[in-house]
Amino acid sequence: MARIAVIDYDMGNLHSACKGLAIAGGDPQITDVIADIEQADALVLPGDGAFDPAMQHLRSRDLIQPIKDAIASGKPFLGICIGLQLLFDYSDKARNLVWASSPATLKSFAKSPTSPSPTWAGTSSP
């Protein structure tokens, strides 16, 4: 059974991620300990929130370099929501630079009536 480090940086829905990973046959462990990240078979970086606070939380725990090292080593990595977006070179929504593991830029959608919304606004139940 694969040991999966679910990285805790106060910005994600950790328990939902762990439940899904366990159902899929993994052994998820919530952690912010560098040694656990290094010893894990795979990493999950869940996320919920904004770029700048996410980066501040990761920096305050000295987690950026260990995560980058794990990804560079070929360790399987799953970023969920902002946990994936943090890997890119640049984001329109970030004041602090993200950590540039992927040579791409995240741009905001143009304002239009067809722009997707991640909220429940406008939905109704029967």
Side-chain angles (χ1 to χ4, degrees), residues 2-125:
R3 262 183 320 172
I4 304 168
V6 178
I7 301 168
D8 181 4
Y9 63 114
D10 291 333
M11 296 291 293
N13 190 339
L14 304 172
H15 297 289
S16 291
C18 287
K19 187 173 182 178
L21 293 165
I23 289 170
D27 177 21
Q29 300 171 352
I30 296 172
T31 188
D32 65 354
V33 177
I34 294 169
D36 293 344
I37 292 168
E38 293 170 344
Q39 294 169 6
D41 298 313
L43 304 179
V44 173
L45 186 63
D48 180 26
F51 277 88
D52 292 327
M55 288 301 292
Q56 290 168 0
H57 286 281
L58 287 166
R59 281 191 188 109
S60 72
R61 291 169 171 79
D62 294 321
L63 293 175
I64 295 173
Q65 194 59 50
I67 295 168
K68 286 175 73 170
D69 292 345
I71 293 168
S73 77
K75 190 173 287 194
F77 174 86
L78 172 63
I80 300 172
C81 196
I82 199 148
L84 177 64
Q85 295 172 30
L86 289 167
L87 300 181
F88 291 87
D89 279 337
Y90 173 82
S91 170
D92 287 346
K93 296 184 177 185
R95 283 188 217 132
N96 294 311
L97 291 177
V98 292
W99 68 51
S101 292
S102 177
T105 298
L106 296 171
K107 295 197 176 259
S108 297
F109 284 105
K111 301 244 185 239
S112 79
T114 59
S115 293
S117 173
T119 67
W120 290 99
T123 61
S124 61
S125 60

